[in-house]
Amino acid sequence: MRRIAILGSTGSIGTQALDVIAANPTLFELFAITGHSNVALLAEQARRFKPNMVIITDDSKYLELKESISDLDDVKVFAGMQSVCDMVAMSSVDMVLTSMVGYAGLQPTIAAVKAGKTIALANKETLVVAGELICSLAAQHRSAILPVDSEHSAIFQCLAGEQDKSIEKLLLTASGGPFRTFSLEQLAHVTKADALKHPNWDMGAKITIDSASMMNKGFEVIEAKWLFGVQKEQIDVVVHPQSIVHSMVQFTDGSIKAQLGMPDMRLPIQYAFGYPNRLPNNYERVDFAKIATLTFEKPDTNKFRNLAFAYDAMDKGGNMPCILNAANEVVVHAFLHDKIGFLQMSDIIEWAMMTMPFVAEPSYDDYVACDALVREKVAQKIG
C-alpha cells in the first residue's frame, strides 16, 4: 500500500489523481490532501476519502473548513504553507504528488525532496524556476522524481531500458492550442473565453492559457532539460494537433520511440503512482481506424513568442527562468481579468526578461527575492 499526499487536490490534476486512487483501493492510500481556498471541494474530498490530514493554505479559510468537517473525528485540519511542508516530511508519506499551480509548488516540493520522498511531479514551474537546485537536492537526499506531465511521462516511458548516452533528441509534442492556425491580427483580438477552449485537454484556467500562448510548452522544454539531463540543442517541439503521440525520443542510431494514448491525464498519473508497474484500467483506448490521420508541423515562434523566450531563458540560465515564470504568472492573471490582451502577455514577459536583475548562480533566497521583485514590477507596468 503506497501512501500518497496530494498537493493541490482541488485542481484538475488533483481531482483526476483522486480518481486513480479510488480505482485502486488495494494499492494506494490517500494520506493527505491540500488546497488553496476551495473549502467546499476540500470538504467533499475529505468526506469521500477520509485522509489523515486536510490542509488549506489560505489561513483565512481554516475555521470554515474545520467547521465543515467537524464530524470527521479522524481527519485533522491544518492551514498554511508551513503545514504543507511539515506534512510532506512525515514518515507516513511515501509519495507526494505536487500539483499545485505555479510558483506556489516550489517550497513544499523542496521540503518533500529534502525528506527523501518519491515525487510525482505535475508542477512544472518547480523545475522551471529552480531546476538546478531541485536536481542537486534530489541527488543529495535520494529523492526520486517521476514526471506526471503527459509529455515527460511519455519520454520517461520511451527511455525505459535505454542508456542516457543513446539519446540524440527529445521530441516534445504540442497540440498547438486553440489558436494554432490564427494570424497575428486574429491573435490580437482573441478573448479569454476563446483561450479557455482547449481542443483536446481538460485543464485549469492558468495552464489552459499557457497552452494557448505555448508558454506551457516552453516550460516543458526547460523541465525536460533537468528531468533527462540533456542540452538545449537536444530538445525539439513538434506540433501534433491530435494529441495522440504524447512525445518521442530519437536515438543516436536514428531510431525513434513514441508513446501514444488518448488525451487523458489519468494515464500518466497512474503510471507515476504505480511505477515501475503498469496497472490495468478501463480508460478509452486508441482506435487508429477512427483517428485515421496523425499530423505534425513546426511551431511558429513568430506568432507564439513565449516558446522562443523559454529557450532563451534556458540558454541564459541563472535566475532567468525564474523571471520568465514570475512575469508569466502575473500576465496570465491580468489576461484572465481582462486587463491586457493576448499578445500583450508576450510583450510584457519580454520586457521583464530584458530589465529585471540577472543572477548567474542564484540561491533559494535569490529565487524568492527575484520572484517577488518581478511580480511587483510587472504588476506596476500593467497598472
Side-chain angles (χ1 to χ4, degrees), residues 103 106 129-130 133 318-319 322 362-372:
Y103 176 83
L106 179 59
V129 170
L133 174 63
N319 69 327
C322 182
S363 64
Y364 174 73
D365 290 340
D366 290 327
Y367 289 126
V368 174
C370 172
D371 180 79

Side-chain angles (χ1 to χ4, degrees), residues 103-165:
Y103 176 83
L106 179 59
Q107 184 183 0
T109 302
I110 288 177
V113 168
K114 286 183 175 179
K117 304 301 181 182
T118 296
I119 310 295
L121 185 68
N123 172 263
K124 60 178 62 66
E125 290 86 355
T126 292
L127 287 181
V128 169
V129 170
E132 190 168 7
L133 174 63
I134 294 294
C135 290
S136 174
L137 289 172
Q140 180 183 344
H141 297 280
R142 298 183 179 181
S143 172
I145 299 179
L146 304 175
V148 169
D149 267 347
S150 62
E151 296 81 0
H152 300 106
S153 176
I155 291 170
F156 185 62
Q157 294 178 57
C158 289
L159 290 175
E162 302 287 351
Q163 297 178 339
D164 291 344
K165 292 181 180 179

Side-chain angles (χ1 to χ4, degrees), residues 160-295:
E162 302 287 351
Q163 297 178 339
D164 291 344
K165 292 181 180 179
S166 66
I167 300 173
E168 189 167 275
K169 276 189 180 291
L170 305 182
L171 304 170
L172 289 170
T173 56
S175 70
F179 309 134
R180 178 175 61 89
T181 61
F182 278 37
S183 67
L184 276 171
E185 183 179 356
Q186 288 174 304
L187 287 174
H189 297 96
V190 300
T191 66
K192 68 180 180 184
D194 298 326
L196 288 170
K197 295 176 183 175
H198 194 282
N200 299 330
W201 295 96
D202 179 17
M203 305 176 290
K206 195 267 182 184
I207 298 175
T208 304
I209 300 301
D210 282 347
S211 179
S213 72
M214 292 204 75
M215 181 60 87
N216 196 50
K217 201 56 51 179
F219 284 165
E220 289 173 6
V221 167
I222 299 174
E223 188 180 6
K225 170 189 174 180
W226 297 114
L227 282 171
F228 306 112
V230 295
Q231 300 304 308
K232 181 180 94 169
E233 297 75 19
Q234 292 176 278
I235 310 172
D236 282 350
V237 172
V238 180
V239 175
H240 168 53
Q242 296 81 23
S243 296
I244 298 298
V245 178
H246 296 303
S247 276
M248 300 169 276
V249 179
Q250 180 174 304
F251 297 96
T252 52
D253 63 354
S255 298
I256 294 177
K257 278 187 181 181
Q259 188 266 330
L260 285 69
M262 296 302 292
D264 185 337
M265 279 306 301
R266 292 174 300 174
L267 287 170
I269 293 169
Q270 178 181 282
Y271 187 75
F273 280 4
Y275 182 80
N277 300 314
R278 287 192 182 273
L279 307 178
N281 60 48
N282 61 357
Y283 305 155
E284 183 182 2
R285 269 44 178 175
V286 174
D287 185 336
F288 287 102
K290 289 182 180 179
I291 294 169
T293 303
L294 299 176
T295 62

Side-chain angles (χ1 to χ4, degrees), residues 286-340:
V286 174
D287 185 336
F288 287 102
K290 289 182 180 179
I291 294 169
T293 303
L294 299 176
T295 62
F296 304 90
E297 60 195 62
K298 186 176 181 179
D300 187 341
T301 53
N302 291 318
K303 287 193 300 184
F304 300 100
R305 298 160 61 206
N306 288 352
L307 180 57
F309 293 160
Y311 273 99
D312 291 343
M314 180 170 59
D315 192 41
K316 182 79 171 177
N319 69 327
M320 190 57 71
C322 182
I323 294 170
L324 175 76
N325 178 73
N328 182 67
E329 290 194 17
V330 176
V331 298
V332 169
H333 183 269
F335 175 69
L336 285 169
H337 288 80
D338 302 312
K339 292 183 178 180
I340 59 174

Side-chain angles (χ1 to χ4, degrees), residues 73-138:
D73 296 333
D74 295 332
V75 179
K76 304 176 184 67
V77 181
F78 297 91
M81 190 61 76
Q82 188 57 52
S83 294
V84 179
C85 293
D86 292 341
M87 178 272 292
V88 297
M90 294 176 66
S91 60
S92 302
V93 176
D94 299 317
M95 172 178 279
V96 178
L97 171 64
T98 61
S99 56
M100 287 178 164
V101 176
Y103 176 83
L106 179 59
Q107 184 183 0
T109 302
I110 288 177
V113 168
K114 286 183 175 179
K117 304 301 181 182
T118 296
I119 310 295
L121 185 68
N123 172 263
K124 60 178 62 66
E125 290 86 355
T126 292
L127 287 181
V128 169
V129 170
E132 190 168 7
L133 174 63
I134 294 294
C135 290
S136 174
L137 289 172

